[in-house]
Each structure stands twice: as structure tokens, then as C-alpha cells.
Amino acid sequence: MKKLIVNADDFGLHPAINAGIIKGSRDGFITSTSLMCSGSAFDDAVLQAKATPTLGVGIHLTLVGGGKPLLQARQLRTLVDEDGLLPADYTVFAKRWYAGRIKKAEVVSELQAQLERGLSCGLKITHVDSHQHLHVLPGIADIVLDLCSAFGIKKIRMPQEGWFWRGGFNSTAGRLIGREGLSFCSALAKMKARQARFVYPQHFFGMLAGGNLNEFLVGEIIRNLPDGVSEIMTHPGMDAEALEKTFSWQYHWEDELQAFLSEKNKCLLEQQKVTLINFGGL
């Protein structure tokens, strides 16, 4: 039996991202999202999620991305830069983390604050994942699993995409290397998650083509879904012009949204006898 979670990341980061995720849930087959508790559009996201009860909502732990943390900068002196902002991306964070330049206590405090905000917003939280998959990095994975256990969260993303999966996407060498590295970290994190009795989807898609999914690429994933539970990660949004002015990620937000509104892909789901669920259905 094939079950599929379609999870939209970065809920709460920007109103145009929120709008795309909600449209993809109401009119398409996005089933789940993950809430960025330090995002500037957090309140808007919570309000819209409460009006969309079929949408599963998890917490998108955030230690990178160049934005502001939830706690005050003075509480996170080794985690943030001189402007009080988080590291730009996972490579910058990893270099500093493994060089011992970021204090573990600060990471714990910030992640705990994000979890507390998410759990107190009035939504039923289904799972945890993270911005740029930092929750599977060695050392960080232990912190996340311990915190989630303490808060009673036992469902988590494990972004281990198939080693040979391309799905029709013409990837750069850099993307391939990054995907293999994060998949390896996920394999290590899975062992610890299993020991701690966490539950996660068996299969994962959307890393190699992250930010670049379209109708064809999502169709290829659906055609090739294995038996069991799979997760597709996506980054939908509306008003791409506004998003491109704010973020330099070169994501294709509107294309990703259209992929999950596509009638062609909805028909493929029926043909492949795919059951749509969110993390609550694990």
C-alpha cells in the first residue's frame, strides 16, 4: 500500500509562503506543513492553519537561514552574528559547530523556545523537522531527539533520499554532494530515532530538487512511489516577485505550488492508488 505525506516547509516565514501553503492544502494535495516558530509571519500562519483543520502542522526547527532567532541575541552570543542573525546556511553552521565555536546550551535554549511556542499556539502539532535539515546533523540530532521526547513529540522527518534518485531533475554536482552528505547524516540519525522509539516516513523525496519542483518532477515521484509511507518536501508560495526580493534562494515557489494543484498529478495519485495522509496518520 502506498501512503504519501506532502509537507510544505517554511510556514510562518512570509505571508506569501503562508498563502501558497494554504491554497495548496485547500485546492491541491498538500497534506502537511511545518511551522517556523521564529518566523515573522508566525501569527498569520497559526490563524490560517486553525481555519484549515485538514492540514497537519509540525514544527520547523530553525538554527540557520540568516534570520532572527526567537530568543534575544544576548542569550545566544555564540550562535548569532554581530547583527543578531543566525548563520546563513548549514555549511556555515556546521563549520562553527564542529569547531566548538557554538555553545550547546545556546542551541538547546533556542530550540526549546521554538518548541514551546509551537506547542502553545493552539494547534495540534504532528511532528518535527528543521530548516535545511539541521536536526539530523551529528550532535544536533541528539539534542532534538531529547527535546522532542521531553515534549512528547515522537514523529519526525528523516530526509534520506534514495542514493540513485534523480527523478528527471538535472542536478549540479554541488547539489548531489550535499544530498549524499545529508542522507548519510539521516541514516545515522535514524538509528538513534529508532532506539528512542520515534516514527518517521520510510521514504523521502524533494531534497535534490528542493526549491525546483514542478508538475513533471512531482509526477515522476508519484509514478515511482514505493510501497509504504513516503514524504515529499516542498516549498510553495504565491507572489514570486515579492519572495524573490526578500530571499536569494532562487526557489520556484509558484511552480512548486502548481505541481500540487495539478489535475494531471491528482489523476496520477488515483491511478497509482496513493492514499494521502499527514504525519498524524503515521
Side-chain angles (χ1 to χ4, degrees):
M1 187 174 183
K2 299 176 182 179
K3 295 183 179 181
L4 177 62
I5 297 167
V6 179
N7 191 90
D9 286 13
D10 301 338
F11 196 44
L13 179 60
H14 190 283
I17 293 175
N18 294 353
I21 291 171
I22 294 299
K23 182 171 181 60
S25 174
R26 292 177 178 172
D27 300 334
F29 55 99
I30 290 174
T31 65
S32 176
T33 189
S34 34
L35 181 62
M36 188 176 280
C37 296
S38 57
S40 60
F42 172 87
D43 291 334
D44 172 68
V46 170
L47 186 65
Q48 295 204 56
K50 288 179 178 178
T52 315
T54 57
L55 180 66
V57 181
I59 293 176
H60 198 54
L61 297 173
T62 304
L63 294 172
V64 296
K68 292 183 179 180
L70 195 55
L71 297 179
Q72 296 295 316
R74 58 182 172 77
Q75 299 173 271
L76 307 170
R77 296 188 187 279
T78 68
L79 181 58
V80 300
D81 63 16
E82 60 273 11
D83 297 315
L85 303 178
L86 294 167
D89 57 43
Y90 75 92
T91 58
V92 175
F93 178 92
K95 288 177 183 177
R96 291 174 55 193
W97 172 252
Y98 294 118
R101 293 166 54 199
I102 296 176
K103 291 182 178 179
K104 178 181 176 180
E106 294 183 6
V107 171
V108 172
S109 295
E110 175 63 19
L111 293 182
Q112 181 172 324
Q114 292 179 21
L115 287 165
E116 288 173 346
R117 190 182 195 196
L119 288 166
S120 65
C121 73
L123 294 169
K124 183 179 180 180
I125 297 301
T126 59
H127 73 286
V128 160
D129 55 40
S130 68
H131 201 46
Q132 299 185 22
H133 310 299
L134 248 69
H135 70 287
V136 299
L137 288 187
I140 302 299
D142 302 89
I143 294 170
V144 170
L145 293 173
D146 286 347
L147 283 172
C148 287
S149 292
F151 283 106
I153 301 171
K154 284 293 190 176
K155 296 176 182 179
I156 193 166
R157 167 186 287 166
M158 283 294 161
Q160 184 179 8
E161 198 167 43
W163 300 109
F164 302 107
W165 173 255
R166 299 291 184 275
F169 180 65
N170 186 20
S171 173
T172 62
R175 274 182 173 263
L176 279 168
I177 293 168
R179 193 269 298 273
E180 305 313 315
L182 283 169
S183 290
F184 176 73
C185 290
S186 289
L188 298 177
K190 276 183 178 180
M191 292 188 287
K192 295 183 177 182
R194 282 195 298 269
Q195 291 172 355
R197 298 189 177 181
F198 277 73
V199 180
Y200 47 84
Q202 298 157 271
H203 315 287
F204 181 81
F205 297 90
M207 188 191 301
L208 189 64
N212 294 274
L213 290 176
N214 55 35
E215 183 184 57
F216 168 75
L217 293 174
V218 170
E220 285 298 290
I221 295 172
I222 295 170
R223 290 186 185 93
N224 290 278
L225 280 178
D227 287 336
V229 181
S230 299
E231 178 191 357
I232 299 176
M233 175 186 69
T234 182
H235 299 83
M238 299 177 71
D239 195 354
E241 185 177 351
L243 290 172
E244 287 165 6
K245 289 179 181 178
T246 307
F247 306 105
S248 60
W249 305 339
Q250 298 183 321
Y251 279 7
H252 296 79
W253 289 276
E254 291 183 0
D255 288 344
E256 296 222 1
L257 173 58
Q258 290 303 317
F260 299 99
L261 298 175
S262 164
E263 293 301 323
K264 183 177 179 180
N265 284 339
K266 290 178 184 178
C267 288
L268 272 177
L269 289 170
E270 292 184 12
Q271 292 168 12
Q272 297 293 321
K273 298 180 180 178
V274 178
T275 301
L276 293 170
I277 65 170
N278 59 44
F279 277 85
L282 280 178

